[in-house]
Amino acid sequence: MKFNVIVDQLSQFIKSHSLTTNPDFNPEITQLAAIDEAASGHLSYIEGAKFASMVSKTDASALILPVDETLQTEATQRGIAWIATVEPRLVFAHAIRLFYQPFRPCPGIHPTAVIHPDAVMGENVSIGAHVVIGAGVKLGHDVCLHPNVVIYPGVTVGDRTILHANCTIHERSQIGADCVIHSGAVIGSEGFGFVPTAAGWFKMEQSGITVLEDGVEVGCNSTIDRPAVGETRVKRHTKIDNLTHIAHSCEVGENCAFAAQVGLAGGVKVGNRVILAGQVGIANQAKIGDGAIASAQTGIPNDVPAGEIVSGSPCVPNKLYLKVSAIYKRLPEMYQTFKQLQKQLEKE
Amino acid sequence: MKFNVIVDQLSQFIKSHSLTTNPDFNPEITQLAAIDEAASGHLSYIEGAKFASMVSKTDASALILPVDETLQTEATQRGIAWIATVEPRLVFAHAIRLFYQPFRPCPGIHPTAVIHPDAVMGENVSIGAHVVIGAGVKLGHDVCLHPNVVIYPGVTVGDRTILHANCTIHERSQIGADCVIHSGAVIGSEGFGFVPTAAGWFKMEQSGITVLEDGVEVGCNSTIDRPAVGETRVKRHTKIDNLTHIAHSCEVGENCAFAAQVGLAGGVKVGNRVILAGQVGIANQAKIGDGAIASAQTGIPNDVPAGEIVSGSPCVPNKLYLKVSAIYKRLPEMYQTFKQLQKQLEKE
Amino acid sequence: MKFNVIVDQLSQFIKSHSLTTNPDFNPEITQLAAIDEAASGHLSYIEGAKFASMVSKTDASALILPVDETLQTEATQRGIAWIATVEPRLVFAHAIRLFYQPFRPCPGIHPTAVIHPDAVMGENVSIGAHVVIGAGVKLGHDVCLHPNVVIYPGVTVGDRTILHANCTIHERSQIGADCVIHSGAVIGSEGFGFVPTAAGWFKMEQSGITVLEDGVEVGCNSTIDRPAVGETRVKRHTKIDNLTHIAHSCEVGENCAFAAQVGLAGGVKVGNRVILAGQVGIANQAKIGDGAIASAQTGIPNDVPAGEIVSGSPCVPNKLYLKVSAIYKRLPEMYQTFKQLQKQLEKE
């Protein structure tokens, strides 16, 4: 694809601002690449100061640059076509779509799928081989179920939602429109509810449901349980990575992003736009305010105020954590002095 | 269901003590709800001091209360029907069963299931679509296999055990009666056994088996490996949450509860009634005594005595951990003073 | 099997050194066992000082011993047949193979498998019930796909590779020869790529691929994502345990071993022969040098030099970690002294 065609297309996608470009070069672009791997014929992007020095080294034929005249001049001098934008990564994301669309089976129902006669389906659904759909399931228009998906009775799935191979949706779950559930994920399974008794654990049946609102994405092998009563809910446009666990009765706000292997215990309430990095854990009933951020492996035993950045286990504000972590390494040194001082104190 | 009917039924379930109730009110109960979401027509419960203040605010028509005359009087004054018990949560768990039973397919074998002719089955089994059952498998009476379950050869499954969709049971595993294996769980897979050699890792074949005794529950996408020789064993009535890993040669005692994302390395021995909170890790060969408890994200490198409560990574007794965690935040302050003192020491 | 037959067979496997044995005893060996469970008729092994005392107690009929004359004499005196070797665990691993081979279905294609007419297959492949194979898939010779495996279009799988039940291989993944992918693992799924915008997260399509080189093993329910552009790559003979997450654009070197529940964030570069213990996490873009080791639950925010052993979160060199951890427990004591000193300083 010619570079000027790419620029034209991207200009139509990006409405918030106009893209600047260098009209002198118009290379043929054959593929996209990360900046450290880009070769001739490739389009890549530069985001932030960390990779700016790559402009002088890359073999890429074209770059999406931040708005930075020095970089633009440098690219021009090296014969590299460029687009300048305040959002290089977003523009690159749009550019990928010009070259690639993920695999999507044609509409139709595979003859090996087992579909309960009660199930209701919209138009243009795509139902893969060996899919199993229980009684009373309702699928919207353009829903895509990849092979070996199992949907228990009473589930609803909104328009255009994609369920990847080998995922399982349990009874009465409600999944919105434009969701993506990745392979092996389990939605609406029984919450971990047991009451201790003298005779052992007594199972509390999980009569509630799991609700995923529109635009939610759930990563591979992640699990979102349903509660004993009421709902577990993930709100609009929240994105959840692989191997994450969301327990019964949790409520996760809109536009959150949870990285891989995060775990939320029962009844956690997470606000909107919360970001949890990998392997974060949140204890029972904790409330996380809007816009809070937890760095990787953070352990959150209690509530976190809106906008707070927390780190460590048990967590503290990130600024404090950075100081504490720096000192942590000096504990042996501190301890030696401490022992000396302790001796002196004893003398006095 | 009328409240007095509910009370009658619950009284039959709860044998250990008699339930007190207020005979003045007999509302129609339409559903159960958590106390912070209960509305008119709902039955809810109060457990512990934390939620006691809700009695004065809730719109619930009926409550299961602890034995507390103040709360009972308050409920009566507000026109709320109530039952008083020493175990409100247990009574609530019984009440759920009056209103809800989880989805259970009818007995029968789906025509798409692929069952080896050698496999032996008890009465009233329910075998879902696309289930695959290998040679020599033995299923007890009333076993329920949801769709897309795969059972490798030589496995035994006890009476009334439920295997949810998309779980996999590997060769020669022994699963007891009244177990529940949730979706995506993998039982009896090959332990991670490799011997380092000059030519790379040499695979140690895993000839042992995994045994789950009666009443064990394994959460979604959890994995319990088999060992090179001998057994991996989980004893009676132990409950394991989602995304938990139990490695080869582990032995887990009776009536334990492991929360989500717990990991046990090879050869760990866990006693009876041990509770591990979320994301706990236990190192190779460590022995955990009866009744020990580990709080969330605890890292256990060595043995833990019976009855001990441990926290932190590496773990220490919980009481010490609470003190240490409180001081941890003050390290920057301590460090400053320490530097001052160090200077003074140098002078002297 | 007679002990002398076992010794003969093992001598053929072990080329690097000759095995010493005691010709006086030739028991019939019926099975292999761990040293703490070995009974009459069993062959077991002793590795390292920790288990050496078991030679005087075990009921095993035969032992694989380290080269240690005291132990050999002790075994002979107790009437135990023995083999002595510098690598007892490796020899035991070979011995297991004399008694056990894992379940392997016969070659052939199950009639319920759904295979795209474009797919190409080598000789002697074994394709289980309800397997689904997409367009353009290429399987090498002797590939074994257990039941309910799903392979998206454009995937290649090398000779002799085994895919266990219920695993999913996403579009265009390249899997080498002699790999083992365990149940529930997901290879080549979409990386977690979203660009923040005022309107919420914008999905960056993941046009790259995942490549597993020859001899790679991936544990149950582990996930290895593909990137937006370029590759995620795991190099030759690396072994990955259960429930591990490898994000988009990671590169993992040769002969590494990752224990269960490890998590690698996007773009991590891991050298050769790196060992990560359970629940280790590595942050975005970090580079881990050849031969580095991280102990359980280590959190790695930045680069780790080759050969370094790291521990803690955030990680420090293991030697420092051991000191720090020992002092950590004494923080309350230190704090008290610190408060006293602070008061004194204030006075002065």
Side-chain angles (χ1 to χ4, degrees):
Chain A
M1 199 180 295
K2 278 287 175 189
F3 182 66
N4 63 354
V5 176
I6 295 173
V7 175
D8 278 358
Q9 300 255 358
L10 292 176
S11 300
Q12 290 171 35
F13 291 139
I14 306 296
K15 306 286 186 195
S16 59
H17 62 286
S18 55
L19 304 172
T20 320
T21 185
N22 170 7
D24 296 342
F25 308 121
N26 190 23
E28 177 73 22
I29 300 300
T30 55
Q31 71 171 80
L32 274 61
I35 188 64
D36 54 343
E37 292 175 347
S40 178
H42 295 184
L43 169 65
S44 190
Y45 78 110
I46 299 288
E47 186 180 31
K50 195 177 170 189
F51 293 98
S53 68
M54 294 297 290
V55 176
S56 63
K57 300 176 211 162
T58 183
D59 291 326
S61 294
L63 288 174
I64 300 166
L65 295 175
V67 177
D68 177 327
E69 287 202 14
T70 313
L71 291 182
Q72 291 163 213
T73 306
E74 195 172 5
T76 300
Q77 284 171 348
R78 297 196 61 226
I80 301 171
W82 51 263
I83 312 167
T85 164
V86 291
E87 296 188 286
R89 199 164 163 243
L90 179 61
V91 173
F92 188 71
H94 279 288
I96 290 176
R97 296 185 175 200
L98 300 177
F99 286 79
Y100 167 80
Q101 284 294 315
F103 168 67
R104 171 80 192 227
C106 297
I109 297 176
H110 197 276
T112 60
V114 172
I115 302 174
H116 194 279
D118 276 359
V120 175
M121 278 179 265
E123 293 170 11
N124 287 316
V125 297
S126 170
I127 307 215
H130 305 133
V131 165
V132 180
I133 298 180
V137 169
K138 289 178 191 162
L139 306 181
H141 301 306
D142 303 297
V143 163
C144 175
L145 309 183
H146 284 272
N148 289 16
V149 165
V150 177
I151 305 186
Y152 279 56
V155 168
T156 62
V157 179
D159 297 346
R160 294 172 301 281
T161 284
I162 297 169
L163 275 61
H164 278 285
N166 280 320
C167 73
T168 309
I169 315 298
H170 279 261
E171 49 169 291
R172 299 169 294 117
S173 298
Q174 296 175 10
I175 298 181
D178 300 302
C179 292
V180 183
I181 314 294
H182 289 278
S183 288
V186 183
I187 309 297
S189 38
E190 293 180 352
F192 192 67
F194 297 94
V195 186
T197 74
W201 300 106
F202 182 82
K203 187 178 178 80
M204 186 178 265
E205 295 294 351
Q206 305 289 300
S207 72
I209 62 169
T210 291
V211 181
L212 307 183
E213 296 185 357
D214 296 349
V216 168
E217 194 151 339
V218 179
C220 300
N221 289 337
S222 289
T223 63
I224 307 183
D225 283 355
R226 70 178 191 262
V229 292
E231 292 178 354
T232 303
R233 180 174 286 263
V234 179
K235 293 188 180 171
R236 298 173 67 247
H237 302 309
T238 280
K239 310 298 182 185
I240 296 167
D241 201 353
N242 298 346
L243 292 166
T244 283
H245 170 68
I246 297 182
H248 51 90
S249 304
C250 286
E251 181 182 296
V252 177
E254 300 180 4
N255 277 303
C256 296
F258 293 0
Q261 296 175 319
V262 160
L264 271 56
V268 166
K269 307 291 176 204
V270 174
N272 300 326
R273 300 176 310 284
V274 168
I275 294 178
L276 304 178
Q279 300 183 333
V280 165
I282 307 183
N284 278 349
Q285 308 293 339
K287 289 180 177 55
I288 313 301
D290 290 349
I293 296 174
S295 60
Q297 294 192 328
T298 294
I300 303 181
N302 298 117
D303 296 356
V304 172
E308 186 91 283
I309 305 176
V310 293
S311 302
S313 179
C315 69
V316 294
N318 177 263
K319 277 184 188 167
L320 176 55
Y321 173 77
L322 294 177
K323 281 185 202 163
V324 169
S325 298
I327 293 163
Y328 182 76
K329 302 172 196 174
R330 298 195 162 170
L331 274 178
E333 190 191 342
M334 280 174 76
Y335 187 69
Q336 280 210 328
T337 307
F338 153 81
K339 292 304 280 186
Q340 271 182 279
L341 290 166
Q342 213 175 27
K343 268 182 203 161
Q344 287 197 350
L345 278 178
E346 276 160 20
K347 277 180 204 167
E348 286 165 25
Chain B
M1 199 181 295
K2 278 287 175 189
F3 182 67
N4 63 353
V5 176
I6 295 172
V7 174
D8 277 358
Q9 300 256 358
L10 292 176
S11 301
Q12 290 172 36
F13 291 137
I14 307 296
K15 306 286 185 194
S16 59
H17 62 284
S18 55
L19 304 172
T20 321
T21 185
N22 171 5
D24 296 344
F25 309 120
N26 190 24
E28 177 74 20
I29 299 301
T30 57
Q31 70 171 80
L32 275 62
I35 188 62
D36 54 344
E37 293 174 347
S40 177
H42 295 184
L43 169 64
S44 190
Y45 77 109
I46 298 288
E47 186 182 32
K50 195 178 168 186
F51 293 99
S53 67
M54 295 297 290
V55 176
S56 63
K57 298 176 211 163
T58 182
D59 291 326
S61 294
L63 288 173
I64 299 165
L65 295 175
V67 177
D68 177 327
E69 287 202 16
T70 312
L71 290 182
Q72 291 164 212
T73 306
E74 195 172 5
T76 301
Q77 285 170 348
R78 297 197 61 228
I80 301 171
W82 53 264
I83 312 167
T85 165
V86 291
E87 295 188 287
R89 196 161 166 247
L90 178 62
V91 173
F92 188 71
H94 279 288
I96 290 175
R97 297 185 175 201
L98 300 177
F99 285 80
Y100 167 81
Q101 284 293 315
F103 168 67
R104 170 81 192 227
C106 297
I109 298 176
H110 196 276
T112 60
V114 172
I115 302 174
H116 194 281
D118 277 359
V120 175
M121 277 179 266
E123 292 171 13
N124 287 316
V125 297
S126 170
I127 307 219
H130 306 132
V131 165
V132 180
I133 298 179
V137 169
K138 289 179 191 162
L139 305 181
H141 301 306
D142 303 298
V143 163
C144 176
L145 308 183
H146 284 273
N148 290 16
V149 165
V150 177
I151 304 186
Y152 279 56
V155 168
T156 62
V157 179
D159 297 345
R160 294 173 300 283
T161 283
I162 298 169
L163 275 61
H164 278 285
N166 280 321
C167 73
T168 309
I169 314 299
H170 280 261
E171 48 170 291
R172 299 169 294 117
S173 298
Q174 296 176 10
I175 299 181
D178 300 303
C179 293
V180 183
I181 313 295
H182 289 278
S183 289
V186 183
I187 308 298
S189 38
E190 292 180 352
F192 192 67
F194 297 95
V195 186
T197 74
W201 300 106
F202 182 81
K203 186 178 177 80
M204 186 178 264
E205 295 294 351
Q206 306 288 301
S207 73
I209 62 168
T210 291
V211 180
L212 308 183
E213 296 185 357
D214 296 349
V216 168
E217 194 151 339
V218 179
C220 300
N221 289 337
S222 289
T223 62
I224 307 182
D225 283 355
R226 70 178 191 262
V229 292
E231 292 179 353
T232 302
R233 181 175 286 264
V234 179
K235 294 188 179 169
R236 298 171 67 247
H237 301 310
T238 280
K239 311 298 182 184
I240 296 168
D241 201 352
N242 299 347
L243 292 165
T244 283
H245 169 68
I246 297 182
H248 50 89
S249 304
C250 286
E251 181 182 296
V252 177
E254 300 181 3
N255 276 303
C256 296
F258 293 179
Q261 297 174 321
V262 161
L264 270 57
V268 166
K269 306 292 176 204
V270 174
N272 299 326
R273 299 176 311 285
V274 168
I275 294 178
L276 305 178
Q279 300 182 334
V280 166
I282 307 183
N284 278 349
Q285 308 291 341
K287 289 181 177 56
I288 314 300
D290 290 349
I293 296 174
S295 60
Q297 294 191 329
T298 295
I300 303 181
N302 298 117
D303 296 357
V304 172
E308 186 91 283
I309 305 176
V310 293
S311 302
S313 179
C315 70
V316 293
N318 178 262
K319 276 184 187 167
L320 175 55
Y321 173 77
L322 294 176
K323 280 184 202 164
V324 169
S325 298
I327 292 163
Y328 182 76
K329 302 173 196 175
R330 298 195 161 170
L331 274 179
E333 190 190 341
M334 280 174 77
Y335 188 69
Q336 280 209 328
T337 307
F338 153 80
K339 293 303 280 187
Q340 272 181 279
L341 290 166
Q342 213 174 25
K343 269 182 205 164
Q344 287 197 351
L345 278 177
E346 278 160 20
K347 276 180 205 166
E348 288 163 25
Chain C
M1 200 180 294
K2 278 288 176 189
F3 182 67
N4 63 353
V5 176
I6 295 173
V7 174
D8 278 357
Q9 300 256 358
L10 292 176
S11 300
Q12 290 172 35
F13 291 138
I14 305 296
K15 306 285 184 192
S16 59
H17 62 285
S18 56
L19 304 172
T20 320
T21 185
N22 170 7
D24 297 343
F25 307 122
N26 190 25
E28 176 74 20
I29 300 300
T30 56
Q31 70 171 79
L32 274 62
I35 188 63
D36 53 344
E37 293 175 348
S40 178
H42 295 185
L43 169 64
S44 190
Y45 77 109
I46 298 288
E47 186 180 32
K50 196 178 169 187
F51 293 99
S53 68
M54 295 297 290
V55 176
S56 63
K57 300 177 212 161
T58 182
D59 291 326
S61 294
L63 288 174
I64 299 166
L65 294 175
V67 178
D68 177 325
E69 287 202 14
T70 312
L71 291 183
Q72 291 164 211
T73 306
E74 194 172 7
T76 300
Q77 285 170 349
R78 296 197 61 226
I80 301 172
W82 52 264
I83 312 167
T85 164
V86 291
E87 296 188 286
R89 198 162 163 244
L90 178 62
V91 173
F92 188 70
H94 279 288
I96 291 176
R97 297 185 174 200
L98 300 177
F99 285 80
Y100 167 80
Q101 283 295 314
F103 168 67
R104 171 80 192 227
C106 297
I109 298 177
H110 196 276
T112 61
V114 172
I115 302 175
H116 194 280
D118 277 358
V120 176
M121 277 179 265
E123 293 171 12
N124 286 316
V125 296
S126 170
I127 307 217
H130 305 133
V131 165
V132 180
I133 298 179
V137 169
K138 288 179 191 162
L139 305 182
H141 301 307
D142 302 297
V143 163
C144 175
L145 309 183
H146 283 273
N148 289 16
V149 164
V150 177
I151 304 187
Y152 280 56
V155 168
T156 62
V157 179
D159 297 346
R160 293 173 301 282
T161 283
I162 297 169
L163 275 60
H164 278 285
N166 279 319
C167 74
T168 309
I169 314 299
H170 280 260
E171 49 170 289
R172 300 169 293 117
S173 298
Q174 296 175 10
I175 299 180
D178 300 303
C179 293
V180 182
I181 314 294
H182 289 278
S183 289
V186 183
I187 308 298
S189 39
E190 292 181 352
F192 192 66
F194 297 95
V195 185
T197 74
W201 300 105
F202 182 81
K203 186 178 178 82
M204 186 178 264
E205 294 294 350
Q206 305 289 300
S207 72
I209 61 168
T210 291
V211 181
L212 308 183
E213 296 185 357
D214 295 350
V216 167
E217 194 150 339
V218 179
C220 300
N221 288 336
S222 289
T223 63
I224 307 183
D225 282 355
R226 70 177 191 263
V229 291
E231 292 179 353
T232 304
R233 181 175 285 264
V234 179
K235 294 187 180 171
R236 298 172 67 246
H237 301 309
T238 279
K239 311 298 183 185
I240 296 168
D241 200 352
N242 298 346
L243 292 166
T244 283
H245 170 68
I246 297 182
H248 51 89
S249 305
C250 286
E251 181 182 297
V252 177
E254 300 181 3
N255 277 303
C256 296
F258 293 179
Q261 296 175 320
V262 161
L264 270 57
V268 167
K269 307 292 176 204
V270 174
N272 299 326
R273 299 177 310 284
V274 168
I275 294 178
L276 305 178
Q279 300 183 333
V280 166
I282 307 183
N284 278 349
Q285 308 293 339
K287 289 180 177 56
I288 313 301
D290 290 349
I293 296 174
S295 60
Q297 294 192 328
T298 294
I300 303 181
N302 298 116
D303 296 357
V304 172
E308 186 91 283
I309 304 176
V310 293
S311 302
S313 179
C315 69
V316 293
N318 177 263
K319 276 185 188 168
L320 176 55
Y321 174 77
L322 294 176
K323 281 184 201 164
V324 169
S325 297
I327 292 163
Y328 182 75
K329 302 173 197 174
R330 297 195 162 170
L331 275 177
E333 191 190 339
M334 280 173 75
Y335 188 69
Q336 281 209 329
T337 307
F338 154 80
K339 293 303 279 186
Q340 271 180 280
L341 289 166
Q342 213 175 29
K343 268 182 203 161
Q344 288 195 352
L345 278 178
E346 275 160 21
K347 276 179 205 166
E348 288 165 24

